[in-house]
Amino acid sequence: QVQLVESGGGLVQPGGSLRLSCVASGSVSGIIAMGWYRQAPGKQRELVAFISTGGMTSYGDSVRGRFTISRDNFKNAVYLQMNSLRPEDTAVYYCNVQLILSGTYREGWGQGTQVTVSS
């Protein structure tokens, strides 16, 4: 069992910035990647950004160049720096962790943190 705790969401004006944090605990052995998805009402959940333990990153097309993902492998934590925020970035942001336990692939999800971009 793995638990993910997200923080950093809130209300921000267009053009502003937020920094999201996600910390994993519990069965954290074998983590290979952590990252973020987001979901707006009536829309599909979409990839925001992911980072592997080796530092390789992936970004969704809509956030590339504005968001930056980073990680601390020893703390089992991942961070998302969001700059130049737009109203269309408004969504619930979910932390995701990918890991391997005794040769078995496992995936975990956080509860989500609300990000609202509005003037």
Side-chain angles (χ1 to χ4, degrees):
Q1 185 177 342
V2 62
Q3 296 83 41
L4 300 175
V5 179
E6 302 137 322
S7 62
L11 175 64
V12 65
Q13 293 184 327
S17 298
L18 285 173
R19 182 176 173 86
L20 304 184
S21 176
C22 175
V23 180
S25 62
S27 301
V28 296
S29 298
I31 291 176
I32 58 175
M34 296 182 69
W36 298 89
Y37 286 77
R38 69 185 183 186
Q39 187 169 26
K43 295 186 177 181
Q44 294 281 92
R45 188 171 297 188
E46 66 174 342
L47 171 71
V48 178
F50 253 84
I51 186 167
S52 73
T53 55
M56 300 296 101
T57 59
S58 297
Y59 292 94
D61 291 341
S62 63
V63 308
R64 188 176 293 109
R66 299 186 297 120
F67 294 6
T68 302
I69 191 168
S70 60
R71 84 280 185 253
D72 185 328
N73 291 336
F74 291 106
K75 294 182 178 180
N76 299 306
V78 64
Y79 311 95
L80 184 68
Q81 180 65 45
M82 305 185 293
N83 298 327
S84 302
L85 284 162
R86 306 165 180 169
E88 52 263 43
D89 294 318
T90 296
V92 177
Y93 285 69
Y94 296 92
C95 184
N96 174 266
V97 60
Q98 300 172 17
L99 47 79
I100 297 176
L101 298 176
S102 299
T104 301
Y105 174 81
R106 184 172 179 175
E107 189 173 56
W109 292 91
Q111 295 297 309
T113 184
Q114 177 71 47
V115 172
T116 302
V117 185
S118 177
S119 59

